Amino acid sequence: IKNSSGTGTTQSKPKKPGNPLTPETVDYLKAWMMSPEHISHPYPNEEEKAKILADTGINSKQLTTWFSNNRKRFWKPKMDEEGRTYTTLGNTLTPQVVSFLKAWMMHPSHVEHPYPTDDEKSAIMRATGIDKKQLTTWFSNNRKRFWKPTIDTLRKEHGIPDTSPIPPEILSQVTIGGAQHPTPIPVPENPGGGQPASATGIAGEVAPELNDIEVSEDILEEAVD
């Protein structure tokens, strides 16, 4: 390489090797990536990045590089090995997932208050492969777009007052994903006092194919206009 005067050459400075991450940091990052909340969409947002940086002491470039490399080297092979399908940066839910979520929402044990608890959220995420943000967004939007119009129609058609629960035999008339919604357990006499339906139970009844679920590359179309 010629020097600035053009009369000679100067040697290129060797690149300094990057600082390797400690085994503890790698374990932390892999655990984050494979956690139920993130496994289907391992792309930390800005708030999550800030927490990871604070917890590990690495810098932003190291974090970005590690996730970019390990989505290919670690996460994708793991998902393939487990026979799971996955999403990258997409935003559509598959019909199976949508049917599952609608069935959960309209189930007799949830229909009067379609707000999953933290434990129920975890179970739904495990059953469907979606993450917490996807779940929260879908429920927020579909309480307005699906649940309320459906409930209002059922009450109007069957003359059910707002203060009364909707009987299971009427809920069973709701069509979800081309099939009538199953109602395996009755509405408890004391609303809120009965045993809620499990996510796995609903999955088995509504969408048994969720065991081989395919989450496409557009994961929030149902949630975003």
Side-chain angles (χ1 to χ4, degrees):
I1 300 174
K2 290 184 179 181
N3 61 22
S4 58
S5 64
T7 58
T9 58
T10 57
Q11 287 188 331
S12 299
K13 291 183 178 179
K15 292 183 179 180
K16 293 182 179 179
N19 293 327
L21 303 185
T22 65
E24 292 79 11
T25 296
V26 172
D27 287 344
Y28 175 102
L29 295 172
K30 286 182 176 180
W32 190 98
M33 179 175 275
M34 300 303 291
S35 66
E37 296 84 358
H38 309 125
I39 188 170
S40 69
H41 188 75
Y43 292 80
N45 59 35
E46 294 305 314
E47 183 178 344
E48 291 167 336
K49 286 179 183 178
K51 185 178 188 309
I52 293 171
L53 297 181
D55 288 348
T56 62
I58 63 176
N59 61 42
S60 183
K61 183 177 180 180
Q62 288 174 311
L63 183 150
T64 302
T65 301
W66 188 91
F67 270 92
S68 177
N69 290 336
N70 283 277
R71 277 189 289 265
K72 303 171 187 174
R73 299 172 185 172
F74 173 70
W75 173 73
K76 186 177 183 298
K78 279 284 187 185
M79 298 291 276
D80 291 341
E81 179 183 323
E82 295 176 9
R84 296 182 58 164
T85 51
Y86 41 84
T87 175
T88 53
L89 285 173
N91 52 14
T92 16
L93 300 181
T94 61
Q96 297 99 323
V97 171
V98 173
S99 293
F100 175 95
L101 296 173
K102 286 182 176 180
W104 191 99
M105 182 176 273
M106 296 303 295
H107 195 279
S109 60
H110 309 136
V111 70
E112 301 298 331
H113 188 75
Y115 293 80
T117 64
D118 287 343
D119 286 345
E120 289 168 337
K121 288 177 183 177
S122 295
I124 291 170
M125 287 187 287
R126 286 194 300 270
T128 62
I130 64 175
D131 65 25
K132 190 172 183 178
K133 181 178 179 182
Q134 294 157 359
L135 183 152
T136 301
T137 305
W138 188 92
F139 270 92
S140 177
N141 287 332
N142 282 279
R143 278 189 288 265
K144 303 171 189 173
R145 299 175 182 175
F146 169 70
W147 175 76
K148 190 176 188 306
T150 302
I151 293 300
D152 289 347
T153 298
L154 290 175
R155 290 189 182 282
K156 183 178 180 180
E157 289 180 351
H158 298 276
I160 304 170
D162 292 343
T163 54
S164 300
I166 299 176
E169 59 270 20
I170 293 178
L171 288 174
S172 67
Q173 299 172 17
V174 177
T175 300
I176 295 174
Q180 286 191 323
H181 167 57
T183 55
I185 64 174
V187 175
E189 292 182 7
N190 178 20
Q195 183 67 28
S198 70
T200 52
I202 291 177
E205 294 157 351
V206 180
E209 63 272 34
L210 282 174
N211 290 329
D212 302 311
I213 195 164
E214 200 166 356
V215 180
S216 73
E217 294 195 9
D218 299 292
I219 216 142
L220 289 179
E221 180 184 69
E222 286 284 327
V224 180
D225 284 325

